[in-house]
């Protein structure tokens, strides 16, 4: 039997094979965006070379082909996250748009006097600001559950806040700034027990965990294609069918209508009711190629992607703990391929510039998560190395060699 060979996997990602500033590239910024396998690039080229056409309208061969591939992609996503119906998969341009859609079009349908919306201090701004602003507009209470110093949602405080006034809970499955995996199953059950609806921000979870929305029981789940080895500009909102039926339309125009007269308009059925205008056809098809690619690996080497990542993650933690002057954050909790850290007495931005000179890409700053950075008293943010299954142990060792140099040079 063949085994999972990361060097063979790397052959599928052309971008990884280049020099940056005279050094072989080490890409450790996967939490910001992931690289695309050749299969995804080929799918885009194929679409524009042979199939380009608008969907759901033309009665000609190209339009039929484009529509078929576009709708097959919806079914591929449905199976990938185990949704009940393909109509529960709504195309958006990313996690941000998916969450804004629910905050703008669903929240008003359940708003009531004295209602509370709960988020956590660990949220990405995309799962924070839309709720905060909608609460101001609708006169709802906006409750932010604090995080513990090691990057977990404070469950005692969460429990204390839960009562019959809570209408919505929106939390992340994996904190993008720290990588910590949150106990979302428990969070969802507790929210449902008081009658609240739950949205899970799955932007980080989707590439690192085995996501099953029915098993989770969440009402909404949002993710972006570009963090799942697919193109930018395509994302998914999953919602339970009856809730999507109840949700108001988000944007209006073509595709989303059934009949329009001068006096009134009736809207299309799910999922089209939420997909106004010509959709991002090519990138939706690219998302299918990315999932097909992952499924092929998972079929051939069950669990190998996750096991390889976990081994890398452990190596990352070990090296971090042994590195003098390095403070890792949340390192004692289960994390999804992320290490966030600071170096004593050295500014993050100076470090990342020196790393870049050595061909190493990591992220620095607040990671679009200012509330948690403020809480941890890290105004300059952190350095964040984030993994994917195409990374190697050598990538991590190169990072620490480079950090050693940075320390000598800057410290
Ligand atoms: C990246 C990210 C987002 C935002 O995703 P976009 O693709 O920029 O819309 C939201 N939440 C988390 C946890 C993220 O990692």
């Amino acid at each position: 039997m063949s085994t999972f060979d990361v060097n063979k996997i790397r052959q599928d990602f052309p971008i990884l094979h280049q020099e940056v500033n005279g050094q072989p590239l080490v890409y450790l910024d996967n939490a910001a965006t992931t690289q695309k396998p050749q299969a995804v690039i080929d799918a885009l080229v194929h679409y524009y070379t042979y199939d380009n056409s608008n969907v759901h309208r033309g009665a000609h061969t190209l339009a039929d082909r484009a529509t078929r591939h576009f709708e097959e992609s919806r079914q591929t996503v449905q199976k990938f996250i185990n949704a009940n119906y393909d109509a529960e998969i709504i195309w958006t341009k990313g996690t941000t748009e998916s969450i804004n859609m629910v905050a703008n079009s669903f929240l008003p349908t359940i708003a009531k006097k004295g209602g509370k919306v709960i988020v956590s201090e660990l949220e990405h701004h995309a799962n924070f600001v839309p709720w905060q602003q909608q609460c101001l507009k609708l006169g709802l209470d906006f409750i932010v559950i604090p995080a513990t110093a090691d990057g977990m949602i404070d469950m005692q405080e969460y429990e204390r806040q839960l009562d019959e006034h809570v209408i919505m809970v929106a939390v992340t499955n994996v904190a993008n700034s720290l990588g910590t995996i949150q106990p979302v199953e428990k969070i969802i059950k507790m929210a449902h027990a008081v009658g609240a609806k739950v949205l899970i921000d799955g932007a980080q979870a989707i590439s690192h965990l085995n996501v099953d929305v029915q098993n989770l029981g969440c009402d909404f789940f949002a993710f972006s294609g570009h963090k799942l080895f697919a193109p930018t500009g395509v994302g998914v909102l999953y919602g339970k069918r009856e809730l999507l039926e109840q949700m108001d339309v988000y944007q209006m125009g073509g595709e989303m209508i059934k009949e329009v007269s001068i006096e009134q308009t009736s809207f299309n059925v799910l999922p089209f009711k939420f997909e106004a205008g010509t959709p991002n056809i090519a990138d939706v098809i690219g998302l299918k190629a990315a999932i097909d690619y992952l499924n092929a690996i998972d079929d051939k080497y069950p669990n190998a992607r996750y096991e390889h990542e976990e081994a890398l993650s452990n190596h990352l933690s070990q090296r971090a703990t042994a590195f003098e002057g390095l403070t890792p954050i949340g390192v004692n909790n289960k994390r999804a391929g992320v290490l966030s850290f600071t170096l004593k007495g050295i500014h993050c931005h100076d470090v990342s510039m020196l790393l870049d000179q050595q061909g190493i890409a990591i992220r620095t700053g607040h990671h679009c998560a200012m509330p948690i950075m403020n809480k941890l008293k890290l105004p300059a943010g952190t350095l964040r190395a984030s993994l994917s299954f195409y990374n190697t142990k050598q990538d991590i060792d190169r990072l620490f060699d480079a950090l050693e140099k940075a320390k000598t040079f800057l410290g």
Side-chain angles (χ1 to χ4, degrees), residues 31-32 94-97 99 124 126 172 174 176 201 203-204 224 226-227:
T95 308
T96 302
E97 190 178 43
I99 297 170
H124 187 285
T172 193
V174 173
N176 72 303
D201 175 349
Q204 292 298 327
S224 301
H226 73 96
K227 289 180 178 172

Side-chain angles (χ1 to χ4, degrees), residues 78-113:
Q78 177 205 346
K79 287 202 198 87
F80 189 66
I81 63 170
N82 193 30
N84 221 334
Y85 309 99
D86 62 355
E88 294 178 324
I89 307 301
I90 311 295
W91 300 127
T92 64
K93 64 186 166 71
T95 308
T96 302
E97 190 178 43
S98 299
I99 297 170
N100 272 279
M101 194 185 278
V102 179
N104 282 283
S105 292
F106 180 74
L107 188 62
T109 71
I110 56 168
K112 59 181 186 188
K113 205 166 177 297

Side-chain angles (χ1 to χ4, degrees), residues 106-409:
F106 180 74
L107 188 62
T109 71
I110 56 168
K112 59 181 186 188
K113 205 166 177 297
K116 300 203 281 192
V117 174
I118 289 183
V119 302
S120 89
E121 213 170 26
L122 287 161
E123 302 313 314
H124 187 285
H125 297 157
N127 197 34
F128 194 94
V129 183
W131 302 111
Q132 178 196 55
Q133 294 300 308
Q134 275 295 93
C135 283
L136 288 171
K137 200 163 138 188
L138 299 168
L140 299 168
D141 282 337
F142 180 62
I143 311 283
V144 182
I145 305 297
T148 60
D150 59 354
M152 299 297 288
I153 292 175
D154 182 337
M155 289 298 281
Q156 263 177 1
E157 188 54 27
Y158 175 57
E159 189 166 10
R160 212 178 62 77
Q161 286 290 352
L162 278 178
D163 59 30
E164 73 282 5
H165 299 292
V166 179
I167 56 173
M168 188 83 209
V169 173
V171 290
T172 193
N173 197 337
V174 173
N176 72 303
S177 56
L178 308 175
T180 44
I181 301 174
Q182 305 302 319
V184 284
E185 276 173 54
K186 201 164 161 199
I187 290 171
I188 294 163
K189 278 210 184 77
M190 288 165 71
H192 284 165
V194 297
K197 301 294 182 233
V198 185
L199 176 139
I200 299 296
D201 175 349
Q204 292 298 327
I206 195 69
S207 70
H208 299 288
L209 307 176
N210 207 335
V211 171
D212 179 330
V213 289
Q214 291 189 71
N215 211 11
L216 277 175
C218 56
D219 301 292
F220 298 99
F221 187 94
F223 70 91
S224 301
H226 73 96
K227 289 180 178 172
L228 189 67
F229 317 101
T232 50
V234 57
V236 168
L237 173 67
Y238 156 82
K240 281 184 183 159
R241 188 176 198 149
E242 64 273 19
L243 300 179
L244 291 176
E245 300 280 8
Q246 171 187 340
M247 184 157 108
D248 280 334
V249 296
Y250 183 57
Q251 293 181 339
M252 299 174 212
E255 279 284 286
M256 54 77 68
I257 53 93
K258 193 155 74 195
E259 240 180 77
V260 179
S261 70
I262 289 184
E263 296 78 25
Q264 57 188 0
T265 293
S266 57
F267 300 123
N268 207 335
V269 294
L270 284 178
F272 312 113
K273 159 179 152 183
F274 295 111
E275 295 176 0
T278 300
N280 185 353
I281 305 163
D283 294 322
V284 162
I285 291 169
L287 176 57
K288 177 178 189 298
I291 295 176
D292 286 346
Y293 172 80
L294 292 174
N295 285 340
I297 294 176
D298 293 346
D299 285 349
K300 207 159 161 201
Y301 315 112
N303 279 323
R305 272 197 301 134
Y306 304 119
E307 284 161 13
H308 176 67
E309 272 188 26
E310 194 169 332
L312 289 179
S313 196
N314 290 337
H315 186 58
L316 191 56
S317 300
Q318 276 164 16
R319 296 259 359 212
T321 317
F323 195 94
E324 210 177 310
L326 185 154
T327 308
I329 298 155
V331 78
N332 294 322
N333 286 306
K334 211 164 158 38
R335 285 167 298 118
V338 170
L339 179 79
S340 226
F341 61 96
T342 55
L343 287 184
K344 197 174 169 196
I346 310 180
H347 198 284
C348 292
H349 287 279
D350 297 337
V351 179
S352 65
M353 260 166 61
L354 273 186
L355 293 184
D356 182 52
Q357 282 169 17
Q358 297 172 73
I360 297 167
I362 69 170
R363 172 103 187 248
T364 158
H366 56 63
H367 318 296
C368 302
M370 282 176 147
I372 184 65
M373 294 295 132
N374 290 338
K375 167 65 167 276
L376 298 173
K377 304 207 164 50
L378 298 167
T382 66
L383 292 149
R384 181 186 70 183
S386 53
L387 301 164
S388 182
F389 67 99
Y390 46 61
N391 286 119
T392 64
K393 224 170 139 224
Q394 291 90 295
D395 287 343
I396 295 169
D397 292 337
R398 284 261 321 271
L399 168 68
F400 281 92
D401 290 349
L403 286 174
E404 203 62 72
K405 276 192 200 158
K407 204 165 73 171
T408 316
F409 193 76

